[in-house]
Amino acid sequence: MTPFTPPTADQLLAIRVNAGIDELATTERFAHAEPDLVEAIVEGVGQFAAGEFAPLNRIGDLEGAKLENGVVRLPEGFEAAYHAYVEQGWNAIASPLAHGGQGLPFTLACNVLENLGAANMAFTLLPMLSVGAIEALEHHGSPAQQAMYLPKLVSGEWSGTMNLTEPAAGSDVGALRSTAEPVEDGEHAGKYRITGQKIYITWGEHDLAKNIIHLVLARLPGAPEGSRGISLFVVPKYHVNADGSLGPRNDLRCVSLEHKLGINASPTCVMSYGDNGECIGELVGQPNKGLAAMFTMMNNARINVGNQGAQIAERATQQALAYARDRVQSARAGSPDKTPVAIIEHPDVRRMILRMKALTEGVRALLYFCAGQVDRGNLGDEAAKTRGEIVVPLLKAWGTDVGVEVSGLGIQIHGGMGFVEETGAAQHWRDSRIAPIYEGTNGIQAADLVTRKLGLDGGEALIALFETIAREAAEEFALAALARDCANVARWMQGEASLDDRLAGSVPFCTMAAVCVAGWQLMKQAAAVAAGAAPELAASKPVTVRFFLDRIVPEAAGLKAGAVAGADLLYALPAEALVG
Ligand SMILES: Cc1cc2nc3c(=O)[nH]c(=O)nc-3n(C[C@H](O)[C@H](O)[C@H](O)COP(=O)(O)OP(=O)(O)OC[C@H]3O[C@@H](n4cnc5c(N)ncnc54)[C@H](O)[C@@H]3O)c2cc1C
């Protein structure tokens, strides 16, 4: 596997142009996000990721996480790298000052994860899940819960998990069956006894952090059926004493680890709560409002998973580029020189490399645009908040689809060596494949776009976004046409289309919309580079943006037929007839 080189220049460009970090730094809250600090963070975490996390990517894949006598062990090196991560303060970038965080924009926390995840996606799920737990407690925890859990979660000394999924409750979270019974007397009076099994819990058990703070969805006695009867609980692996020291172990355990296609260093745990009837948790927020609380963390978690698309695409592209410049096969057909050349000289390999680069940069542009909207939303800008909410499913679904496509192209560029494991190209593709599945499958993201997001601001917000793009891209004909197509599909969906029609066209529409917004943001990058920003990218950026606008945007326009085709044909055959 080739070493990881942080794409610092492109990240800084996206942070400036697409997130608008300089404008964020003009506000009181983010005044310390000055250019020097931003550069120091992006360069610093890039070097840290390349030096500490990347060398563990291969061994993490080969050896993976192992369950030994109830304890999950990671290969050698993981513990030291995690401690270095905590000691250097990378976990605390965007967390609130009040709990020991650095109070910087979410945009910069995205950059920390982007670098760490490109270096080692499986390992980076550990800090990524902790961020979600921090957010849930920050927004919904009581002052006592915040004081007890947040400082150590923010520093990274403790880690966090989210526990939604159960065997019969996947996409349909409302079907979950875990229970929480109030404790009436004794030392845990006022708390709850949690019972149930959760599956697929990422980093549910390990020994890198001193305590693991599980956020668990469960039902109170007599709770309504479905998603209206779910409550959120904080359930520590070790009880925490009033002085903050660790008490005895809670009654929860990792029953087994899943054997998976990829991200082998990320322990995916079957967790059992309350085998002995003594698993104690505390209610977070209001009874039966757990799903809403969980959604607080899911919004940013979806951005962080979309980010994984950029991460794996970057790493796969670097790997493929190194191979394509090294591997010699045949003379270039269109050249009079018949000396064999490196495969990067062949037109089809060039096409694949440029596609990989353009798609990767497109997802990165979309990621930082989305992060910048979240930061503005946190400052009270309601329009930006809404725009961020619209972009989240686009980023999560298209970003992760790009991760799979680009890492697949990476294998293709390696030829047979891509299919054998020793180059490492296959690992990127295997690792990438989970991202379209977890944190709400991409089908569920697209459904969110054509239901909740389609109706935001009485349906105006989505149309306004596409109209802005059509106007600003007036001289980029393909992009402007795509933006008008997106607005027309949205109007059709808001009007005559049935719910089935909308859902039938949701995935093609989601891709169209994502490519449209990404193309718009890349167009802004190209303009900034033409005006002198990022001189290191002066040669490459105009080419990758042109490739995106001339080749990827027209492909997305071709999806319109599927977006407005309606549901009738999908149901022309009964399910039994599809079998035979
Ligand atoms: C490696 C890994 C790590 C994970 N980490 C966590 C974790 O930390 N915490 C946690 O709680 N969960 C976690 N998950 C669970 C993950 O979020 C679920 O797998 C995911 O939400 C899908 O649920 P499911 O697997 O039950 O699939 P299903 O819900 O059975 O879906 C199967 C297929 O049907 C489609 N589908 C289902 N319902 C609908 C519908 N209404 N409309 C349209 N299509 C639909 C889906 O899109 C999908 O294509 C993890 C899973 C994996 C594999």
Side-chain angles (χ1 to χ4, degrees):
M1 186 177 283
T2 51
F4 168 58
T5 309
T8 308
D10 203 57
Q11 290 174 341
L12 280 169
L13 179 72
I15 287 170
R16 286 191 187 120
V17 174
N18 309 118
I21 195 83
D22 295 342
E23 190 188 275
L24 289 172
T26 62
T27 64
E28 197 185 328
R29 176 160 166 192
F30 295 136
H32 51 318
E34 287 171 345
D36 285 355
L37 183 71
V38 170
E39 267 176 47
I41 287 174
V42 175
E43 281 170 14
V45 75
Q47 293 310 320
F48 175 81
E52 303 282 342
F53 272 39
L56 299 170
N57 200 30
R58 192 80 182 121
I59 188 176
D61 184 53
L62 292 173
E63 290 187 15
K66 292 197 174 72
L67 183 63
E68 292 167 3
N69 301 323
V71 181
V72 172
R73 309 267 182 216
L74 275 303
E76 204 180 333
F78 276 72
E79 191 174 358
Y82 185 70
H83 288 163
Y85 164 80
V86 172
E87 273 161 28
Q88 293 187 20
W90 296 117
N91 204 59
I93 290 276
S95 295
L97 294 165
H99 300 294
Q102 297 180 34
L104 284 160
F106 173 67
T107 295
L108 294 175
C110 286
N111 184 256
V112 171
L113 287 182
E114 193 200 337
N115 278 297
L116 295 175
N120 192 327
M121 179 172 153
F123 194 3
T124 304
L125 279 159
L126 171 59
M128 195 173 127
L129 266 292
S130 297
V131 169
I134 291 167
E135 277 173 0
L137 288 169
E138 188 190 332
H139 289 99
H140 305 284
S142 66
Q145 288 167 344
Q146 293 181 349
M148 179 166 281
Y149 297 113
L150 280 178
K152 288 196 168 113
L153 279 170
V154 165
S155 71
E157 210 176 317
W158 298 350
S159 71
T161 69
M162 53 196 280
N163 291 243
L164 292 81
T165 309
E166 296 180 7
S171 301
D172 185 7
V173 180
L176 67 84
R177 287 274 150 255
S178 292
T179 57
E181 293 278 341
V183 181
E184 305 292 350
D185 333 286
E187 60 168 328
H188 297 303
K191 297 183 181 175
Y192 295 82
R193 260 191 198 91
I194 312 290
T195 312
Q197 191 184 73
K198 296 284 178 181
I199 60 170
Y200 300 145
I201 303 310
T202 298
W203 286 92
E205 168 57 37
H206 60 93
D207 60 355
L208 304 192
K210 294 198 178 82
N211 201 0
I212 304 176
I213 310 307
H214 300 283
L215 288 179
V216 180
L217 291 180
R219 290 181 180 285
L220 291 166
E225 282 296 305
S227 53
R228 284 179 304 118
I230 293 174
S231 304
L232 179 63
F233 298 85
V234 57
V235 186
K237 173 175 164 183
Y238 290 98
H239 291 290
V240 183
N241 299 319
D243 65 358
S245 61
L246 294 186
R249 196 141 171 177
N250 208 348
D251 177 19
L252 59 92
R253 68 189 175 102
C254 170
V255 178
S256 61
L257 295 185
E258 303 295 354
H259 298 279
K260 312 192 291 292
L261 180 66
I263 55 165
N264 291 332
S266 168
T268 304
C269 305
V270 176
M271 298 294 298
S272 186
Y273 292 90
D275 283 356
N276 305 306
E278 286 304 327
C279 177
I280 303 297
E282 283 180 48
L283 181 68
V284 178
Q286 299 301 310
N288 300 332
K289 298 278 185 246
L291 208 53
M294 207 62 146
F295 264 112
T296 310
M297 64 195 276
M298 273 156 69
N299 198 45
N300 286 2
R302 286 174 175 182
I303 297 172
N304 292 339
V305 174
N307 188 341
Q308 293 187 312
Q311 295 159 20
I312 207 77
E314 174 65 41
R315 195 71 197 277
T317 303
Q318 289 188 15
Q319 166 97 28
L321 256 169
Y323 187 80
R325 292 172 69 198
D326 195 45
R327 168 79 172 158
V328 174
Q329 280 295 284
S330 311
R332 185 167 160 191
S335 163
D337 184 352
K338 294 304 165 207
T339 318
V341 293
I343 58 171
I344 197 167
E345 301 303 337
H346 297 304
D348 187 51
V349 177
R350 280 289 168 114
R351 173 193 67 79
M352 288 191 276
I353 290 281
L354 266 173
R355 188 174 179 88
M356 293 171 84
K357 276 180 81 68
L359 284 169
T360 304
E361 291 175 19
V363 176
R364 182 173 295 125
L366 189 64
L367 164 67
Y368 287 103
F369 173 64
C370 186
Q373 300 304 305
V374 169
D375 280 322
R376 284 169 182 74
N378 289 341
L379 289 165
D381 178 342
E382 286 302 315
K385 182 164 179 270
T386 305
R387 210 172 300 133
E389 283 180 24
I390 288 172
V391 175
V392 167
L394 313 187
L395 172 66
K396 197 281 173 180
W398 179 69
T400 58
D401 283 346
V402 163
V404 176
E405 182 186 342
V406 168
S407 53
L409 284 170
I411 292 181
Q412 194 67 17
I413 284 176
H414 283 73
M417 286 306 284
F419 199 69
V420 299
E421 289 282 355
E422 69 191 63
T423 56
Q427 184 191 338
H428 299 316
W429 180 76
R430 289 188 288 98
D431 285 352
S432 78
R433 194 58 191 85
I434 184 57
I437 296 172
Y438 56 22
E439 206 44 63
T441 64
N442 285 0
I444 298 294
Q445 302 301 319
D448 177 45
L449 175 66
V450 302
T451 53
R452 209 171 76 74
K453 307 297 163 72
L454 189 72
L456 285 177
D457 277 356
E460 289 301 310
L462 190 61
I463 304 282
L465 175 63
F466 296 131
E467 285 179 344
T468 304
I469 298 173
R471 202 170 48 249
E472 291 191 9
E475 287 171 25
E476 286 293 347
F477 299 121
L479 182 59
L482 177 61
R484 285 192 296 275
D485 278 349
C486 286
N488 287 335
V489 174
R491 285 192 193 96
W492 174 76
M493 287 189 169
Q494 287 170 349
E496 65 202 80
S498 69
L499 181 55
D500 269 352
D501 289 337
R502 277 190 268 155
L503 291 167
S506 61
V507 167
F509 178 51
C510 187
T511 306
M512 288 173 76
V515 170
C516 183
V517 181
W520 174 49
Q521 291 303 311
L522 282 178
M523 193 185 85
K524 289 175 187 281
Q525 286 192 4
V529 169
E536 313 90 309
L537 304 174
S540 65
K541 187 56 75 175
V543 176
T544 49
V545 174
R546 208 53 285 134
F547 189 97
F548 195 97
L549 294 174
D550 289 355
R551 300 183 186 211
I552 293 167
V553 163
E555 283 172 12
L559 296 172
K560 184 180 173 193
V564 297
D568 288 353
L569 187 66
L570 304 185
Y571 291 92
L573 295 175
E576 312 81 77
L578 289 167
V579 178

